[in-house]
Amino acid sequence: MSKQLTDLEHDLALLRQMLRIRRFEEKSAELYSAMKIRGFLHLYIGEEAVAVGVAEALGAEDAVVATYREHGHAMVRGMSMRAIMAEMYGKLDGCCRGRGGSMHLFGVKERLYGGNAIVGGGLPVAVGLALADKLQGNNRVTCCCFGEGAVAEGEFHESMNLAALWNLPVLFACENNLYAMGTALELSESVTNLTEKTAGYGVPSAAVDGMDVVAVEAAAKQAVATIRQSGGPYFLESRTYRFRAHSMFDPELYRSKDEVEQWKQRCPIENLKTQLQQQGWLDDAKWAALEKEVADEVADAVAFAEQSDWEPVEELTRFVYSDREG
Amino acid sequence: MTETRKTTYREALNEGLREALQQDERVFLMGEDVGHYGGCFAVSKGLLEEFGPERIRDTPLSESTFTGAGIGAALGGMRPIVEIMTVNFSLLALDQIMNNAATYLHMSGGLFNVPLVIRMATGGGKQLAAQHSHSLEGWYAHIPGIKVLCPATMEDARGMLWPALLDPDPVLIFEPAVLYPMEGTLPEKPTPVAIEGAKVLHQGKDLSLISYGSSLHKSLAAAEQLAGEGIAAEVIDLRCLRPLDDTTIIGSVSKTHRALIVDEGWRSGSLSAEISARIMEQAFYQLDAPVERVCSAEVPMPYAKHLEEAALPQVETIVATARRMLNG
């Protein structure tokens, strides 16, 4: 049965969002090589379907706690490419005035509580945000995104227990890209089926093909519906793959080129694009127009970051403590 | 003359907690055994019955996660008080305190402040050995982004919590465990206290004893003994370990020209070293003698009473050091 027009429009919007993340990050890698961006740069390329799909299940009132691989999460929460690029340039117009960089993107209107670069460190914070909502009677969900590496941290288990014990509305959105930096899942976990891990805490769980944005969206909507109904947590594992190196310093000794190539055949963008083409919804002209629109947005973000000012050094010690009282 | 009433340090803390819970609906307490047990040191006794399990929350033994949950709840609009049983246990939560609570505001370019209060017991003197007795507040005072308090008086035990909760940033309150049963008085209607600045508790002209927490009381006892020998020691209660009140310290040293720092922390790389350095930087030419320190012996705290006493600063050591500084 063919899809309805509105579904196809929606799929095109998902494709556009994934393409924005892809092209933005490809440019970021270039700018890293050109020494415009420094520090660590962790690319999400290959994993775009996860953030895009999960975000579809959340509303503006919901909160997101993410990791150091979070350019995509910031974008799907509505942060502009300009604010992210300027942040990576270390400029004043960056979302955090250039103080956080690639790994620490924060946004108030996006309700994005970082960018946490300590693996597992965001989980307790997400539990606390959900606790605040529960105590204040807010009907909101906190989505905590983390990689499968975090499952090995004590904070994962503590957070799972506490969220279940206190029945807190947290979507634990695990992005399983199979490698904790360079350590394969089977080298670090005794049980590699992650959805089994939460049973001991009484947290319902599901796994989804993280290379299929439509599937991720459906699974995330199911998960959030469960959370809103029960008030309690849910664990959703998206099985995905990082096409690029862990960071710009990674020689990728731990996985074969064949393996990477096989996963690239499952590229979430190519797959959805092909589907839409086959359904006659996306022709070459439409695709070219989409590419151009995204390329223009990326170019605009780079130009914006280039011309943004540096924060005056005199403000170095500002915001160690709050300027205001109460 | 203000009417006073008898109390204990423990009861004063309890009173501060009760008042905070009464005054602000957003305030809640969470930690290990704060509810049904009544608090490991009975500080939160009776609060569960009065305020209920939503606001007095017993937690699992998950220091890192309930501290992180405090950070999240603070970000989400609540005013949490996280109790960690002892400072040694707080090391399990150090990631959350250091990497999240202390950094969020600066790292986010001023977007997200963390109005969180963390309380914990600290210090030795109860024969609890090497995993329950250390004084690590000096470590915490090393970290920009948090404020570090150590109430040593009844007024501060009762009064420091509320302004700490009003503070927009993370505040750590260290309660010397040995002081919990200490008796004293409070005014019938106590006045608010500030959570900044040191206080001169005993005036003197011959040397400055700079101290805080349980060592403060040893310093006061030493000052009394020294007075009998004709030595007028000034005693400073630091109260707030970060930020340090340079003005009061330097003002006192400029008057007495001699400084003895009494700190239950270890000497190496310590808060006492920091205070000594500041005196050198700001009042070197005011000094008539080198700055000296009485600190804990650099050993993991032993269990046996005589060994623990030998490891901790004692009145006799303070008196002997002061005497030597005056008389050569």
Side-chain angles (χ1 to χ4, degrees):
Chain A
M1 205 173 91
S2 67
K3 284 196 171 188
Q4 299 294 310
L5 189 62
T6 49
D7 290 336
L8 291 164
E9 276 174 347
H10 180 69
D11 288 355
L12 193 63
L14 297 177
L15 181 66
R16 178 178 168 279
Q17 199 66 296
M18 290 195 293
L19 191 67
R20 287 179 72 233
I21 299 171
R22 177 71 57 93
R23 299 294 180 247
F24 179 85
E25 290 205 320
E26 286 168 346
K27 179 53 104 178
S28 302
E30 262 178 53
L31 293 164
Y32 195 90
S33 300
M35 313 267 284
K36 293 285 189 182
I37 299 172
R38 297 280 80 193
F40 280 143
L41 179 70
H42 305 92
L43 300 177
Y44 199 54
I45 289 174
E47 304 183 38
E48 296 92 340
V50 182
V52 172
V54 168
E56 289 298 317
L58 303 172
E61 72 285 2
D62 297 322
V64 172
V65 178
T67 71
Y68 50 86
R69 195 183 301 284
E70 88 288 32
H71 310 139
H73 305 77
M75 286 168 67
V76 297
R77 288 301 288 174
M79 191 176 286
S80 71
M81 284 189 191
R82 283 182 165 197
I84 304 170
M85 188 60 81
E87 184 62 28
M88 293 198 288
Y89 267 64
K91 297 288 189 74
L92 187 55
D93 292 315
C95 58
C96 303
R97 306 164 71 91
R99 285 151 176 244
S102 163
M103 297 195 285
H104 305 297
L105 304 174
F106 288 78
V108 173
K109 74 173 169 19
E110 300 85 359
R111 291 207 77 215
L112 176 63
Y113 293 88
N116 200 308
I118 308 294
V119 172
L123 278 81
V125 176
V127 170
L129 282 160
L131 173 61
D133 281 334
K134 183 176 181 174
L135 290 172
Q136 292 168 110
N138 297 324
N139 181 25
R140 305 195 291 200
V141 170
T142 298
C143 172
C144 185
C145 304
F146 54 93
E148 88 291 343
V151 171
E153 295 281 358
E155 285 177 329
F156 169 82
H157 300 274
E158 292 183 1
S159 295
M160 215 50 68
N161 178 52
L162 199 59
L165 182 71
W166 288 352
N167 201 43
L168 303 176
V170 184
L171 172 58
F172 290 103
C174 178
E175 308 182 338
N176 179 3
N177 67 17
L178 298 176
Y179 293 91
M181 206 160 109
T183 301
L185 187 60
E186 62 266 26
L187 296 180
S188 62
E189 287 296 319
S190 58
V191 173
T192 54
N193 182 356
L194 303 182
T195 56
E196 290 178 24
K197 299 209 178 254
T198 64
Y201 304 107
V203 175
S205 67
V208 64
D209 176 4
M211 307 307 276
D212 179 346
V213 67
V214 176
V216 174
E217 179 186 354
K221 283 185 167 164
Q222 177 64 48
V224 170
T226 305
I227 293 168
R228 292 201 200 279
Q229 195 260 325
S230 71
Y234 194 100
F235 177 83
L236 177 64
E237 175 196 355
S238 297
R239 293 175 176 161
T240 183
Y241 199 79
R242 151 170 70 68
F243 293 173
R244 298 285 186 103
H246 167 75
S247 73
M248 304 302 280
F249 297 95
D250 169 13
E252 293 189 78
L253 303 173
Y254 50 85
R255 61 184 191 181
S256 70
K257 287 195 167 65
D258 282 352
E259 180 185 297
V260 179
E261 282 312 310
Q262 279 174 26
W263 275 94
K264 281 185 176 172
Q265 298 308 308
R266 298 176 55 194
C267 172
I269 295 174
E270 280 304 315
N271 285 350
L272 184 57
K273 179 188 163 194
T274 305
Q275 277 176 38
L276 289 169
Q277 283 171 330
Q278 285 168 354
Q279 285 156 344
W281 180 249
L282 185 66
D283 60 20
D284 289 350
K286 210 164 179 174
W287 174 251
L290 185 59
E291 281 276 24
K292 179 164 188 318
E293 178 211 322
V294 171
D296 288 349
E297 190 185 1
V298 172
D300 170 76
V302 175
F304 176 81
E306 284 283 346
Q307 66 193 11
S308 174
D309 289 329
W310 305 101
E311 184 170 19
V313 171
E314 294 72 36
E315 297 203 357
L316 173 65
T317 57
R318 196 176 167 202
F319 302 126
V320 175
Y321 299 98
S322 296
D323 292 343
R324 62 193 181 285
E325 288 298 316
Chain B
M1 178 92 188
T2 323
E3 301 251 332
T4 61
R5 58 198 158 93
K6 284 188 176 174
T7 186
T8 64
Y9 184 85
R10 175 187 287 116
E11 286 165 11
L13 288 164
N14 181 277
E15 193 176 315
L17 281 166
R18 176 174 282 111
E19 283 173 16
L21 286 155
Q22 284 166 348
Q23 285 190 51
D24 190 338
E25 280 291 315
R26 299 171 304 171
V27 172
F28 68 98
L29 173 70
M30 66 174 157
E32 293 156 358
D33 282 321
V34 299
H36 293 86
Y37 189 96
C40 176
F41 296 100
V43 171
S44 53
K45 202 174 169 190
L47 299 182
L48 174 66
E49 293 73 14
E50 187 172 345
F51 297 100
E54 286 291 290
R55 299 184 71 198
I56 307 296
R57 308 184 76 92
D58 280 321
T59 64
L61 309 190
S62 306
E63 287 82 359
S64 188
T65 285
F66 69 72
T67 302
I71 294 167
L75 288 168
M78 299 299 288
R79 290 294 178 272
I81 304 167
V82 169
E83 176 176 313
I84 300 177
M85 214 177 260
T86 82
V87 67
N88 285 82
F89 303 173
S90 78
L91 303 185
L92 293 161
L94 193 49
D95 165 52
Q96 290 296 331
I97 298 170
M98 166 76 220
N99 287 319
N100 288 346
T103 61
Y104 273 175
L105 181 67
H106 197 264
M107 192 162 74
S108 69
L111 296 182
F112 290 110
N113 60 302
V114 182
L116 169 69
V117 172
I118 303 174
R119 298 172 38 243
M120 67 187 93
T122 188
K126 293 165 73 79
Q127 285 194 262
L128 297 176
Q131 295 180 339
H132 284 70
S133 305
H134 292 132
S135 292
L136 305 179
E137 53 277 2
W139 277 10
Y140 285 102
H142 180 65
I143 305 172
I146 58 177
K147 291 178 184 170
V148 178
L149 311 178
C150 187
T153 63
M154 298 299 160
E155 288 78 8
D156 281 347
R158 193 204 68 88
M160 276 181 160
L161 181 65
W162 180 245
L165 284 164
L166 292 180
D167 197 284
D169 301 312
V171 179
L172 272 57
I173 302 179
F174 289 88
E175 302 164 2
V178 78
L179 297 186
Y180 285 127
M182 180 176 73
E183 293 176 341
T185 57
L186 272 177
E188 274 303 331
K189 286 182 184 165
T191 47
V193 305
I195 51 166
E196 57 186 15
K199 266 189 188 159
V200 176
L201 291 192
H202 189 270
Q203 298 276 345
K205 62 175 176 45
D206 294 329
L207 93 160
S208 303
L209 297 177
I210 301 164
S211 191
Y212 69 92
S214 57
S215 299
L216 173 76
H217 297 279
K218 293 173 180 171
S219 300
L220 287 166
E224 201 169 319
Q225 208 169 311
L226 288 163
E229 302 176 18
I231 297 172
E234 180 144 299
V235 181
I236 296 175
D237 177 6
L238 291 170
R239 303 177 67 247
C240 181
L241 309 186
R242 185 183 186 97
L244 280 170
D245 177 4
D246 289 5
T247 308
T248 299
I249 296 169
I250 301 305
S252 176
V253 173
S254 299
K255 182 175 81 174
T256 64
H257 310 291
R258 288 176 176 82
L260 172 57
I261 304 155
V262 186
D263 176 9
E264 201 177 303
W266 291 304
R267 175 185 302 254
S268 301
S270 66
L271 190 71
S272 66
E274 174 62 27
I275 295 165
S276 176
R278 291 189 188 203
I279 294 169
M280 302 305 174
E281 287 162 353
Q282 300 175 51
F284 182 77
Y285 295 104
Q286 295 290 336
L287 292 173
D288 285 346
V291 173
E292 298 224 26
R293 291 183 276 163
V294 174
C295 300
S296 282
E298 304 229 350
V299 295
M301 195 63 75
Y303 159 71
K305 189 171 169 59
H306 69 295
L307 292 178
E308 186 183 40
E309 283 175 356
L312 291 168
Q314 299 297 350
V315 176
E316 298 71 39
T317 330
I318 302 167
V319 169
T321 309
R323 201 184 284 140
R324 182 163 44 74
M325 288 172 72
L326 264 298
N327 302 330

